[in-house]
Amino acid sequence: MPRGNITPSLLLFATLVSALSVLAIFGFLLWFAAPVFTGETLSSLLSWQWRPQQGEFGILPMLAGSLCLAGSAMLLAYPLGLGLCCFMHGLGPTWAARPLLGIVRGMTSVPTVVYGLVSAFLLIPLIRAGFSGSGFSWLAAGLTLAMLILPTIVLILDSQFRTIHAQTQLTAAALGFTPAQQVLRLTLPLSTRGLLVAAALGFGRAIGDTLIPLMLAGNAPLLPHSPLDPLRTLTSHIALVVATDSQSAAYGSLFACGVILFMVSLLVNLALRRLRHE
Amino acid sequence: MSKPVPPEKLAQAGAWLAALGVPAILLALLGFLLWRGVPGLSLALFFADTPPLAALRGAPVFDGLWPACLGTLALVALATAIAVPLGVASGIYLAEYATGRAKALLAFAIDLLAGIPSILMGLFGFALILFLRRTVAPDANTGLLLSALCLAVLVLPYVIGTTRLALENLPLQLRLTGASLGLSPGRTVRHLLLPAALPGIFSGVMLAVGRAAEDTAVILMTGVVANAGAPASLTGKYEALPFHIYYLAAEHQSPAELTQAFAAALVLLALTGLMFLAARVLQTRLERQWTTEPTP
Amino acid sequence: MKFELSRLTGRLLAAVVCSTLLTGSALAGELDVFAGKKGKIDIAGGTAHIPVMKEAAKRVMQTSREIRISVAAGGSGVGVQKVGEGLVDIGNTGRPLSDEEVAKYGLKSFAFAIDGVAATVHPKNPVGNLTAAQVQDIFAGKIGNWKAVGGRDAAIHLYTRDEASGTREVFWEKLLKKGTIAANANVVASNGAMKSALASDQDAIGYVSIGHIDETIKAPTLDGIAPTQDNARTGKYPIVRKLYMNTKGEPHGLTADFIKYILGPDGKQITAGAGYLPL
């Protein structure tokens, strides 16, 4: 760290580099996807059939797969995360808050691939034995993904709760609130921003994860009709198809998937920004 | 008592369920991992049939984890070395200097960067190499440096976000103190705000290190391979722990190889856990330092 | 010593014997060409090739510490693409290159082994024989229960490979006669992954390179013919292919030495040890 003053122009430069990297990524994706988005291949791209050998490169099943999987993981993880945070800030015993937060913090250090490995050899056989099918399914990936995104949600909520809690401490005491009342009636309603940030980032993490669906979801390119069906996400599609010949439509479809994923995160961020400003 | 259950009680029940359920699931995961992985833990796991001392001096290791461990360490060190200075600087700028539309725009770009899936960083890296080869650098190739660069971009928003948040969440009194002491804004940042925000910044670095060590999707597309030996150069192919686990989980040709995958998972978990703990210890020490410093 | 080892699988035995022989003078000669050399070879692509490449790479790297050989998977598609783009030195394929691929990238192929592709199931699956028509119907999703082909009353779990796979292409062309593969089939990324997936799912069916068949998976006879390397060599078993190494243009330097080594007597032994028929 430099002694004395920090040069604002140097800081600005660093910020510009960081901010421009996102443009660079988008530019590259768009550049490589451009041949697919123009011309007749677009209609082949926006179909439900992925059969490269027959010249059909539909990526809609993967888009649907990504949304299904991320949505279901959020449905599981968000209430769980919210419950954990409320527990740590008033609904549970005070002594339990610190160790619990420690555990959740510790979860951030669990590698995705470890979740994938354990699920592949613990959860998959259980699902195979308990239900029908091969076990590689939406259900397996959804459950595992929920665990993966849980700490993201909890840690954001916790820091928000902490700030609000400190600000409302006196008010709550003056009103004679119990800790439970304080978290439910004051902290929670005042934490809208944190709630939304947690939701958006959790969803972003869920839809962007590659390894969990790649290892657990079975990767069949079709729309799942039940939680026991396999699915393929945009991310695992990219990982699977990056192999193909660099000029064919299959290759172009990779970058199209990339552009779609990018657009999804753009939309999430735009929505978030709007909500924040209201 | 025919009244409906008060929402407080319901919420409390839900909270208890979550608070008991999550640790229980984690315990099951960890238990399973230990049960399957511990039998595979031995020197042979790392060095296979190469004598350990020889391996430490650089003898090639085959079928052991050693090259993958070295690869992951090199990767994380490089990625953090790129991401942390850039990220902390950006975070400070966004929190303390940027204003108005410029701030909104820059912050939005960073938020967007945070939302980009890691596989896209990998795809970007891969495309970058193809692009470079066709234009200015026909010899450019995927390898350690490219992976580290992509990983750095991946973890950058973590560092920026936590730095910014840590600074912005500081109490107003601290800023007023700076002003009342007649410090310039730059000095206020350097001498008052940054020290106060350090724990927060370190938590960001902690997140970044953990993320860089565990990510598989980025390296999958930018140069990691199943067999390469210890990393030898910045441009060479390399092995890495997370990829090794992913590879063995799918490719194990014998129960012994699967045990190796679980043992490798334990090693990776220990590695990321250790980094995590080290960061925590550092963080609490800095916190203490900060709280004791003002009273000489 | 060797008798104690005899309970291990044949492949393991072969590997052990090979590495024991390595120190002997008989094989040292072929590796001499690498002694004192330095450089790197990057290999990627076909997943059936990996056991052979790994073993050969290990021996070469033990001969000279200055040589670094990396072996990556991905499938035949990756092999063609990466070697074509010049990202690796050797791109492996489990299928012949198309004229288009050769023309576009100027690739040169070196076949080093014959291999077959067989439909495979879990070893506990009672089904011992399948006709080609049955296999086609199973993979098309027309037959959905093992009972229909003489097995137990259970849903068939389909496993297939991604489109980059040469194994998939050969299986699809020669056995499925370019018929459909049901879209709900689980997709796995390599021969090794297919093998371990089948080994852990009692109701599974998939297909692997014959070199990968061992006691953990079972290959039912196809129209009464056992998919063994012997039957593949004589042509009795029809679903065969060659394994190729491909380079961009004429190979030179270390790459040429390595290919020569694989094609030489030492390489043939490694190839046979991995369960393939050396050419």
Side-chain angles (χ1 to χ4, degrees):
Chain A
M1 209 171 281
R3 290 257 154 239
N5 280 345
I6 294 166
T7 331
S9 55
L10 208 64
L11 296 179
L12 174 63
F13 177 71
T15 317
L16 283 178
V17 170
S18 309
L20 286 179
S21 58
V22 79
L23 267 184
I25 291 167
F26 188 56
F28 260 98
L29 292 177
L30 214 55
W31 173 265
F32 278 87
V36 193
F37 279 122
T38 56
E40 72 230 43
T41 35
L42 184 62
S43 58
S44 126
L45 207 63
L46 296 178
S47 84
W48 290 94
Q49 301 298 329
W50 171 260
R51 281 194 298 244
Q53 275 123 340
Q54 281 92 330
E56 294 177 279
F57 301 100
I59 55 172
L60 290 184
M62 290 57 139
L63 181 59
S66 275
L67 293 175
C68 285
L69 185 63
S72 60
M74 276 303 285
L75 275 180
L76 278 166
Y78 199 77
L80 212 56
L82 200 57
L84 275 178
C85 270
C86 292
F87 186 88
M88 289 188 291
H89 290 275
L91 290 188
T94 328
W95 61 264
R98 270 183 72 90
L100 205 57
L101 186 63
I103 289 175
V104 174
R105 283 224 173 98
M107 281 175 79
T108 60
S109 70
V110 178
T112 318
V113 70
V114 172
Y115 280 121
L117 178 75
V118 171
S119 286
F121 294 93
L122 181 66
L123 191 59
I124 297 278
L126 281 177
I127 291 176
R128 188 182 288 151
F131 307 95
S132 63
S134 67
F136 293 96
S137 56
W138 179 6
L139 180 67
L143 287 172
T144 314
L145 201 54
M147 287 305 279
L148 185 77
I149 61 174
L150 186 68
T152 309
I153 295 169
V154 174
L155 291 180
I156 291 167
L157 284 180
D158 177 71
S159 74
Q160 178 79 15
F161 273 29
R162 212 166 273 267
T163 315
I164 303 288
H165 208 79
Q167 289 168 3
T168 56
Q169 193 65 56
L170 283 175
T171 319
L175 291 171
F177 274 9
T178 63
Q181 282 168 326
Q182 189 188 351
V183 70
L184 292 176
R185 314 257 171 206
L186 276 175
T187 313
L188 195 58
L190 285 171
S191 301
T192 327
R193 185 179 157 176
L195 288 172
L196 288 171
V197 173
L201 292 186
F203 184 78
R205 185 86 208 270
I207 208 163
D209 189 75
T210 308
L211 222 54
I212 298 294
L214 189 61
M215 290 176 88
L216 304 172
N219 296 320
L222 83 175
L223 185 71
H225 295 293
S226 97
L228 294 172
D229 282 346
L231 58 76
R232 185 187 289 194
T233 62
L234 290 167
T235 50
S236 46
H237 184 64
I238 294 175
L240 281 169
V241 182
V242 76
T244 352
D245 173 25
S246 65
Q247 303 295 316
S248 76
Y251 196 74
S253 97
L254 276 187
F255 288 97
C257 287
V259 170
I260 291 176
L261 274 173
F262 192 95
M263 288 305 186
V264 171
S265 17
L266 185 66
L267 280 178
V268 166
N269 274 292
L270 281 173
L272 187 61
R273 223 165 98 90
R274 234 190 124 96
L275 283 162
R276 267 184 198 163
H277 285 267
E278 268 168 11
Chain B
M1 286 301 218
S2 59
K3 272 199 229 164
V5 189
E8 264 89 2
K9 290 280 166 226
L10 263 179
Q12 205 140 30
W16 272 96
L17 198 70
L20 293 176
V22 170
I25 294 170
L26 282 177
L27 219 61
L29 288 181
L30 192 65
F32 185 75
L33 197 60
L34 286 171
W35 173 55
R36 298 291 299 264
V38 167
L41 287 176
S42 67
L43 271 183
L45 171 71
F46 292 95
F47 304 110
D49 47 5
T50 311
L53 282 176
L56 290 176
R57 280 199 302 268
V61 172
F62 301 94
D63 308 317
L65 281 188
W66 186 238
C69 292
L70 292 179
T72 288
L73 286 179
L75 202 58
V76 170
L78 275 172
T80 333
I82 300 170
V84 168
L86 206 57
V88 170
S90 306
I92 295 173
Y93 185 81
L94 282 175
E96 301 300 327
Y97 293 93
T99 48
R101 284 181 65 85
K103 178 173 181 167
L105 205 65
L106 288 171
F108 183 70
I110 305 298
D111 283 349
L112 197 55
L113 192 62
I116 294 183
S118 63
I119 189 94
L120 290 192
M121 304 294 174
L123 197 58
F124 166 68
F126 186 67
L128 182 68
I129 287 297
L130 289 185
F131 176 76
L132 284 178
R133 292 181 67 90
R134 284 174 196 169
T135 53
V136 289
D139 287 329
N141 207 335
T142 55
L144 191 59
L145 188 62
L146 180 71
S147 293
L149 200 68
C150 293
L151 277 180
V153 179
L154 181 76
V155 300
L156 196 56
Y158 289 71
V159 185
I160 298 176
T162 43
T163 303
R164 187 184 158 192
L165 205 68
L167 284 167
E168 286 180 345
N169 278 353
L170 290 176
L172 185 62
Q173 288 107 297
L174 211 57
R175 288 167 207 280
L176 294 178
T177 310
S180 67
L181 286 172
L183 292 179
S184 68
R187 282 183 181 274
T188 308
V189 171
R190 165 75 183 92
H191 294 291
L192 283 175
L193 304 185
L194 264 188
L198 262 184
I201 296 174
F202 266 91
S203 74
V205 175
M206 172 191 98
L207 272 174
V209 168
R211 190 82 177 86
E214 67 98 17
D215 194 90
T216 319
V218 171
I219 60 177
L220 197 67
M221 306 178 81
T222 52
V224 77
V225 294
N227 297 90
S233 72
L234 287 178
T235 51
K237 305 274 190 285
Y238 61 95
E239 297 179 26
L241 275 177
F243 179 76
H244 197 74
I245 298 164
Y246 164 72
Y247 182 80
L248 280 184
E251 310 273 337
H252 60 278
Q253 296 306 300
S254 63
E257 278 192 9
L258 187 57
T259 306
Q260 198 195 13
F262 278 101
L266 275 178
V267 172
L268 181 62
L269 192 61
L271 196 76
T272 54
L274 212 66
M275 287 175 186
F276 165 78
L277 282 179
R280 289 293 297 169
V281 167
L282 210 59
Q283 191 178 345
T284 39
R285 212 174 66 191
L286 282 162
E287 250 165 24
R288 214 168 291 145
Q289 202 176 23
W290 160 241
T291 45
T292 53
E293 213 173 34
T295 48
Chain C
M1 167 80 182
K2 275 176 192 158
F3 285 108
E4 283 171 41
L5 286 170
S6 65
R7 59 198 156 89
L8 295 175
T9 63
R11 189 185 311 176
L12 229 124
L13 181 64
V16 170
V17 172
C18 288
S19 36
T20 322
L21 285 174
L22 176 62
T23 47
S25 57
L27 297 173
E30 268 188 276
L31 284 163
D32 276 351
V33 66
F34 296 105
K37 284 199 179 161
K38 57 166 76 178
K40 71 180 173 85
I41 310 172
D42 290 326
I43 303 172
T47 60
H49 307 56
I50 289 178
V52 179
M53 297 295 136
K54 258 176 83 173
E55 180 59 29
K58 181 175 173 175
R59 292 188 192 185
V60 171
M61 287 199 274
Q62 275 170 342
T63 308
S64 168
R65 276 203 201 176
E66 301 292 312
I67 297 178
R68 306 184 55 83
I69 303 177
S70 74
V71 183
S76 299
V78 181
V80 174
Q81 193 232 339
K82 289 215 165 160
V83 77
E85 294 284 351
L87 293 168
V88 298
D89 304 299
I90 300 176
N92 290 325
T93 53
R95 57 170 171 82
L97 299 178
S98 68
D99 295 341
E100 205 181 320
E101 285 166 346
V102 174
K104 189 167 119 201
Y105 290 128
L107 298 181
K108 197 162 175 350
S109 284
F110 300 87
F112 68 96
I114 297 177
D115 179 29
V117 179
T120 39
V121 298
H122 191 271
K124 283 198 186 137
N125 193 321
V127 175
N129 179 58
L130 289 168
T131 64
Q134 280 173 333
V135 174
Q136 286 158 13
D137 285 350
I138 288 174
F139 275 91
K142 286 182 202 151
I143 298 178
N145 196 302
W146 281 111
K147 218 163 113 182
V149 291
R152 69 187 190 121
D153 183 11
I156 295 175
H157 302 160
L158 281 180
Y159 288 79
T160 186
R161 295 274 308 278
D162 55 282
E163 289 80 22
S165 162
T167 309
R168 173 186 168 127
E169 199 162 314
V170 170
F171 185 77
W172 176 66
E173 268 183 22
K174 296 198 171 171
L175 185 47
L176 299 186
K177 306 290 178 208
K178 302 200 178 186
T180 37
I181 295 177
N184 66 353
N186 287 312
V187 179
V188 294
S190 69
N191 272 295
M194 176 68 88
K195 187 182 134 182
S196 47
L198 297 180
S200 62
D201 188 348
Q202 270 213 44
D203 300 314
I205 185 166
Y207 48 90
V208 295
S209 135
I210 291 182
H212 277 75
I213 297 173
D214 60 17
E215 70 286 344
T216 64
I217 49 174
K218 180 174 101 171
T221 54
L222 181 75
D223 293 322
I225 298 159
T228 60
Q229 294 291 18
D230 265 348
N231 286 339
R233 189 188 56 218
T234 57
K236 264 176 82 184
Y237 183 77
I239 322 299
V240 292
R241 46 105 175 248
K242 286 179 187 166
L243 300 181
Y244 301 86
M245 297 175 280
N246 306 288
T247 56
K248 196 175 170 90
E250 221 33 76
H252 44 80
L254 265 186
T255 307
D257 291 339
F258 186 80
I259 289 174
K260 211 171 142 199
Y261 179 71
I262 294 274
L263 296 173
D266 215 1
K268 283 188 175 23
Q269 194 189 7
I270 299 173
T271 305
Y276 304 111
L277 293 165
L279 277 172

